[in-house]
Amino acid sequence: MKQFLIFVKKEWLHIWRDRRTLFILLFMPIIQIILYGFALTNEVKNSKIAIFDQSKDEATVMISDEIAASRYFNLVKNVYTYKDMEATFRKGEIRMAIVFPPAFRYDLLHSNHAQIQLIADASDPNTANTLTNYATAVINDYQQTLDPDQRLPYTIKTEVRMLYNPELKGAYNFVPGVMALVLMLVCAMMTSIAIVKEKEMGTMEVILVSPLKPFRIIIAKTIPYLLISMLNIASILLLSVYALDVPVAGNLGLLIAESILFTITSLSVGILISNTAKTQQTAMFTSMMSLFLPTLLFSGFMFPIENMPVPLQVISNIVPAKWYFIIVKEVMIKGLGFTAVWKETLILVIMTTALLGISIYKFKIRLG
Amino acid sequence: MRMLKILLWKELIQIYRDPAIIRILFIMPMIQLLILPLAADYEIKNINLGVVDHDHTEYSRKLVSKIVSSGYFRLKDYSATFQQGLNAIESDKTDLILEIPPHFERDMVNENKAPLLVAVDAVNGVKAGLGGAYIQGIIQDDNQDIRAQWIPEQHFNPRPVIEVTTADWYNPHMNYRVFMVPGILVMLVTMIGSSFASNNIVREKEMGTIEQINVSPIGKAQFILGKLIPFWMLALTVLTIGLLIARFVYGIVPLGHYVTIYIFATIYLLAILGLGLLLSTYAQTQQQSMLVSFFVTMIFNLLSGLYTPIESMPAWAQMITRFNPVSYFIEVMRMVMLKGSGLADIKYQIFALLGFAVVFNGWAILNYRKRSG
C-alpha cells in the first residue's frame, strides 16, 4: 500500500510539473460552460434580412418598420430587383427576404386581400422555419390592427406550463451535457495517453520490473485524473449555480456519488484504449473519434436521440455518457431521488465492471 | 529546393509506413461522415405525448387524434390523473402532457370558451419551446375548424386578409442533412489536419530526432514547409473522399464549382496547418500539444456556426468568430455547395484566410528558430 501511494505521488508530480496541461485540464470546463452558457444559443435573433418593397405605401412601410423593430430581425438591405435579391442571398448577407408586390395597400383596401411573400434561405431549415414563423406573426399582428374589435366565439384557451425550466434556459440542458463531456475527456483521453506514453518512450519496461503489480501501476496512474475530475465537477457546479442560475434541485451527495461512478467508468475506458494503442498519436485519435464525438452525439444533449435512425439509437445505449446525462438531468435539474435513476446507475456499474474486466484480461496477455 | 524535396520524401515515407495514421486518416473520416449526419438531426419531431383526458367526449378524442396525426407527436401515455401524467414525464417516458378538463365540450358550447392545459418537460429549452408552439398551433387550427363548423357560413368576407406565402430557397425539401454534411466535412478536415500537424514537430522533439534536423543545413522555412506540405496533401485527400461521399451517399451535388471549393480549401488548410505547427513549436510534449490543439479546435468548432447560428451569439463571441478560420470555411462550404456562390462572392473570406495563413506560418517559422537556435 505504501509503495502504491508513492507511485500515485510520482504520477501526481508528473502532472503537477506540466503546468500547461494542468491549466488546460482545469480551465477547459470553465471555458465550455462560458461558451455554452453565454455564446451558443439556438435562439434565433438579429437575423439579417432584406426587404424588396415594390409598393412603398403606408401599409408596407408600417409592416417593414414593425419587422425591423423586432429583435429577431436585423434589416440590412433594401433590394430593388429579384436579381439583386438573389445576389445578396448568394453572398450570404441575408437569411430571409420579404417581398411586397406592387399596389399592396390598394389591394388590401379594395379587394380585402393582399399578398406578402417570404423567401427564406432554407439551407438551414430550422432557422428558416423559425424566421418565417416570426415574420408571419408580425404580419398577423398588423392584420389584427386593421380590424380591432372582433369578438371570437368558441375559444379554446391553452395554458402552457413549462416544468423544471420556466424560462426555457439552454443551461438546464447543457450543464449536464458538459459534465458528461468534460469527465469523459479528462479521464478517458488523458489516462489513455498517459499510459501509452510510457510504452512509447520505453519507460514502461522500467516500471514493470518494479515490485508493484502491473495493474496497480495502471490504477495509480488514473488516480490523479480522478482528483482533477472532482475539481472539474466542483467548478462546473459552482459556475452553474452562481453564474448561470441553474440550481442543484436534487440531492448534492447523490449527484457527486453518481459523478464519481461515471468518472471511474471513463477511467476504465481510458485504460482499455491504452491497452490497444501503441503510440500516443493513435491513442489520442482513438479517444477523440470513439469518445469525444460519440459523447457529443449520443449523450442526447446536442441532438435528440429519438430522431436518429433505429440502429444509431441502439448504438447510443453503449455510450456511457448517455446514461450519466440522464442521471444528472433527473437528479440535478428535476430533483428526483435514487429511485428514479437506479436503472441507469446499474447500467454504469455493469459497464465499468465489464471494461475493467476486459482490461485486466488483455493486460495479462500483453505482458505474459 | 532539393533539400525541401528530400525532407518531403522523408515525411511521406514516415506517414506511409505508419499504418495507424493511414487508418485514422481515411477510414475514420469516412465512418464519421456516414454516421454523423444521420445523428446530427436537430429537427424537432417525435415529441412524446401524454394525455390526461377528463372529458371523454367525442370532441376530446378528435382533438387528440388530430395532434397525433400532425406527425410531430407520438402518443405514449394515457393517464387518469395529472399526477400520473407527471410521473410519466419524470421517468422520461413523455415530454409533454395535454390535460383536457372535465366538461370541456360542454363549456365550449355553453360558455363560448374552454381551457386546456399543456405541461412541457422544459429541461431542453429548445425542444420544449418548439413542442409547446406546435401543439398550440394545432389547437388553434382546430379552434378555427370548430368556428367554421359551428358558425353559419358567411359568403362575403368583410375583414381584410393578408395572405403570407413562403418560399424555401436553396433547400426546398428542408433537408437537414444538406445543411449539416458540408459543415461536418469541414470539422473533420480541420480536426485531422490541425491535430496531426500540431503533433508532428513535438513528436520529433520528444523522440529526440529533432536534434538531427537541427544540426543539418535545413533552413527553418524549409523545415516548416516540409512539415506542412504532406499534411496539406493528406487533408485535401480527406476532403476529396468527403466530397465523394457527400455526392454519392447523400446526393449533395454542389451548385457552385468544385474548383471554388478546392481553391478555398487550399488556402484554408495552409492557415489551419500553420496554426497546428505554431502550437507544435510551443509545446514540449505530445500530450501537451494534443491537448492544446484539441482545446483550440473545440473552441473553434463550437464557435464556428456549425451547430448554432453566429448572428445569435453575443457581440464578444461574434468578435471571436472573426478570428476563427473554421467559421469562414463552414460558411463558404455552405455557400458554394448550397447556393452556388462563386469566387467573387467569397472574396472577403479568401483574403481573411490568406491573412491567417501568413500570420500563423510566419509566426511558426520565427518561433521555431528561437527554440532551436
Side-chain angles (χ1 to χ4, degrees):
Chain A
M1 197 59 203
K2 202 178 150 219
Q3 277 171 328
F4 181 72
L5 287 178
I6 292 172
F7 205 86
V8 172
K9 196 178 163 200
K10 164 197 166 270
E11 290 304 325
W12 174 253
L13 280 177
H14 265 305
I15 299 173
W16 181 247
R17 293 217 176 115
D18 184 357
R19 294 292 162 85
R20 274 185 210 170
T21 306
L22 187 64
F23 175 76
I24 290 185
L25 287 181
L26 294 176
F27 205 56
M28 185 145 58
I30 298 173
I31 291 280
Q32 289 217 337
I33 287 285
I34 292 174
L35 286 186
Y36 279 105
F38 300 105
L40 301 179
T41 156
N42 273 309
E43 204 193 332
V44 178
K45 55 189 176 196
N46 302 325
S47 285
K48 293 177 182 150
I49 57 161
I51 289 181
F52 179 16
D53 190 346
Q54 301 169 75
S55 183
K56 270 284 171 204
D57 58 44
E58 206 181 303
T60 63
V61 169
M62 217 164 133
I63 296 174
S64 304
D65 286 350
E66 291 281 325
I67 286 175
S70 146
R71 70 191 183 93
Y72 300 118
F73 301 110
N74 177 11
L75 176 61
V76 290
K77 204 171 175 183
N78 282 302
V79 292
Y80 302 99
T81 59
Y82 274 101
K83 222 178 140 194
D84 192 10
M85 184 172 76
E86 246 187 274
T88 315
F89 267 118
R90 242 194 352 258
K91 278 187 210 144
E93 285 174 14
I94 51 166
R95 288 205 177 245
M96 188 175 74
I98 299 170
V99 183
F100 294 101
F104 179 82
R105 187 162 181 265
Y106 182 88
D107 286 347
L108 193 61
L109 293 181
H110 292 86
S111 62
N112 267 342
H113 187 272
Q115 270 194 340
I116 294 178
Q117 196 187 17
L118 304 175
I119 297 174
D121 171 2
S123 52
D124 177 356
N126 271 9
T127 308
N129 251 332
T130 315
L131 288 181
T132 48
N133 283 344
Y134 287 151
T136 311
V138 174
I139 294 165
N140 283 341
D141 278 354
Y142 174 79
Q143 191 180 311
Q144 293 287 325
T145 62
L146 296 177
D147 186 10
D149 48 20
Q150 40 167 317
R151 284 193 50 238
L152 292 172
Y154 306 124
T155 303
I156 301 176
K157 283 189 62 176
T158 323
E159 185 204 337
V160 179
R161 193 186 298 163
M162 293 296 175
L163 305 168
Y164 316 115
N165 177 12
E167 290 164 61
L168 296 186
K169 278 199 223 161
Y172 281 76
N173 190 50
F174 73 71
V175 167
V178 169
M179 283 173 74
L181 200 60
V182 165
L183 292 183
M184 201 58 174
L185 281 181
V186 172
C187 299
M189 211 146 132
M190 295 311 287
T191 353
S192 72
I193 295 173
I195 299 174
V196 175
K197 181 180 180 154
E198 305 256 8
K199 283 197 223 165
E200 201 178 21
M201 308 297 271
T203 44
M204 197 61 158
E205 310 298 320
V206 182
I207 296 170
L208 288 180
V209 295
S210 78
L212 223 54
K213 281 216 175 82
F215 203 71
R216 289 223 178 137
I217 295 172
I218 304 285
I219 298 294
K221 281 187 156 305
T222 61
I223 287 181
Y225 293 107
L226 185 75
L227 295 176
I228 293 176
S229 305
M230 292 298 106
L231 281 175
N232 284 336
I233 294 174
S235 64
I236 293 175
L237 288 180
L238 286 172
L239 274 174
S240 145
V241 173
Y242 294 105
L244 300 172
D245 285 324
V246 182
V248 179
N251 186 319
L252 186 62
L254 176 61
L255 183 62
I256 290 173
E258 296 281 0
S259 301
I260 294 175
L261 170 62
F262 180 65
T263 310
I264 297 172
T265 317
S266 313
L267 290 172
S268 330
V269 177
I271 295 173
L272 188 62
I273 291 179
S274 67
N275 267 336
T276 46
K278 286 195 188 66
T279 64
Q280 292 183 63
Q281 199 163 283
T282 332
M284 168 79 180
F285 272 93
T286 317
S287 355
M288 201 152 84
M289 295 294 187
S290 65
L291 296 179
F292 174 65
L293 285 170
T295 303
L296 203 64
L297 282 176
F298 295 123
S299 62
F301 106 94
M302 290 214 77
F303 306 104
I305 293 177
E306 62 268 32
N307 273 5
M308 300 176 188
V310 178
L312 292 189
Q313 292 192 25
V314 174
I315 292 175
S316 78
N317 290 326
I318 60 166
V319 176
K322 173 185 173 177
W323 305 105
Y324 178 65
F325 177 67
I326 296 176
I327 292 173
V328 178
K329 244 176 28 177
E330 307 271 281
V331 175
M332 181 176 171
I333 309 293
K334 297 190 184 174
L336 303 175
F338 185 68
T339 44
V341 294
W342 68 269
K343 249 188 261 165
E344 287 81 5
T345 311
L346 187 64
I347 293 174
L348 282 185
V349 170
I350 294 173
M351 279 182 172
T352 313
T353 322
L355 286 166
L356 283 176
I358 298 172
S359 294
I360 293 173
Y361 179 71
K362 288 200 92 170
F363 200 73
K364 276 183 189 148
I365 291 176
R366 282 188 50 82
L367 298 157
Chain B
M1 200 57 209
R2 208 177 74 88
M3 199 73 88
L4 184 60
K5 255 188 217 159
I6 296 171
L7 207 57
L8 282 177
W9 191 236
K10 164 204 164 261
E11 292 292 334
L12 284 175
I13 290 178
Q14 231 171 359
I15 293 169
Y16 180 72
R17 291 210 178 134
D18 186 348
I21 293 195
I22 302 292
R23 266 207 306 274
I24 292 165
L25 268 177
F26 297 110
I27 298 171
M28 282 208 178
M30 279 202 269
I31 297 174
Q32 299 283 325
L33 206 57
L34 291 175
I35 292 177
L36 281 166
L38 296 177
D41 188 348
Y42 261 140
E43 211 185 312
I44 307 291
K45 54 191 176 193
N46 302 330
I47 301 163
N48 295 323
L49 172 75
V51 171
V52 184
D53 185 356
H54 300 294
D55 193 33
H56 299 294
T57 55
E58 194 199 336
Y59 174 69
S60 69
R61 271 189 292 273
K62 248 165 82 187
L63 180 65
V64 171
S65 80
K66 185 156 187 185
I67 291 168
V68 173
S69 65
S70 72
Y72 290 114
F73 298 93
R74 291 188 299 204
L75 185 59
K76 273 290 170 81
D77 181 65
Y78 230 111
S79 309
T81 65
F82 187 77
Q83 188 53 46
Q84 280 173 17
L86 205 61
N87 290 344
I89 280 200
E90 282 185 348
S91 61
D92 267 347
K93 209 171 130 198
T94 57
D95 302 312
L96 187 147
I97 309 171
L98 171 70
E99 187 182 35
I100 303 169
H103 317 305
F104 180 76
E105 191 177 7
R106 202 186 68 196
D107 288 351
M108 185 88 133
V109 176
N110 294 347
E111 312 194 0
N112 255 339
K113 58 176 189 237
L116 272 181
L117 174 71
V118 173
V120 192
D121 176 354
V123 175
N124 184 340
V126 180
K127 195 172 173 187
L130 278 173
Y134 287 155
I135 200 162
Q136 268 187 304
I138 298 167
I139 293 170
Q140 286 316 314
D141 231 38
D142 190 57
N143 207 173
Q144 298 277 342
D145 286 355
I146 296 173
R147 281 185 200 129
Q149 223 178 322
W150 293 355
I151 301 173
E153 208 182 319
Q154 286 169 314
H155 285 286
F156 175 69
N157 182 4
R159 296 171 53 210
V161 173
I162 301 175
E163 187 194 342
V164 181
T165 58
T166 55
D168 298 312
W169 280 14
Y170 308 117
N171 182 7
H173 302 294
M174 300 292 243
N175 182 347
Y176 211 75
R177 272 166 215 162
V178 171
F179 179 62
M180 284 310 273
V181 168
I184 289 174
L185 186 53
V186 169
M187 194 182 79
L188 287 176
V189 170
T190 306
M191 267 174 29
I192 285 172
S194 70
S195 33
F196 268 103
S198 69
N199 200 30
N200 193 276
I201 295 181
V202 99
R203 188 182 161 95
E204 297 225 25
K205 273 192 215 169
E206 210 173 19
M207 308 296 249
T209 47
I210 199 144
E211 303 300 323
Q212 288 157 26
I213 291 172
N214 284 346
V215 296
S216 76
I218 296 167
K220 53 207 182 315
Q222 277 175 331
F223 176 68
I224 295 287
L225 276 178
K227 290 286 178 192
L228 189 130
I229 295 171
F231 292 109
W232 179 70
M233 285 158 58
L234 285 175
L236 282 177
T237 318
V238 172
L239 177 73
T240 308
I241 297 174
L243 288 172
L244 288 173
I245 292 180
R247 179 161 196 151
F248 294 107
V249 177
Y250 297 104
I252 303 173
V253 181
L255 272 183
H257 282 290
Y258 277 116
V259 178
T260 317
I261 295 176
Y262 277 96
I263 290 175
F264 194 83
T266 300
I267 303 169
Y268 171 78
L269 285 171
L270 287 180
I272 208 81
L273 293 174
L275 178 66
L277 293 176
L278 175 63
L279 293 178
S280 192
T281 59
Y282 275 104
Q284 285 128 11
T285 64
Q286 287 185 68
Q287 195 177 3
Q288 216 179 60
S289 83
M290 285 189 260
L291 192 63
V292 174
S293 87
F294 178 79
F295 186 61
V296 172
T297 39
M298 183 194 74
I299 295 176
F300 275 1
N301 280 331
L302 288 178
L303 289 176
S304 67
L306 176 63
Y307 306 106
T308 61
I310 289 177
E311 310 89 282
S312 309
M313 295 178 188
W316 60 267
Q318 292 196 24
M319 200 60 203
I320 299 177
T321 63
R322 288 200 199 164
F323 297 97
N324 178 358
V326 185
S327 68
Y328 290 92
F329 197 20
I330 287 186
E331 195 187 358
V332 165
M333 272 292 243
R334 284 177 175 161
M335 281 165 71
V336 177
M337 291 188 81
L338 300 179
K339 299 186 201 164
S341 308
L343 281 176
D345 296 315
I346 57 169
K347 261 188 319 224
Y348 166 68
Q349 285 90 338
I350 289 180
F351 283 119
L353 279 193
L354 275 175
F356 286 130
V358 170
V359 171
F360 289 148
N361 288 298
W363 191 352
I365 291 170
L366 287 176
N367 197 50
Y368 172 64
R369 181 201 203 171
K370 269 188 211 151
R371 302 237 133 219
S372 57

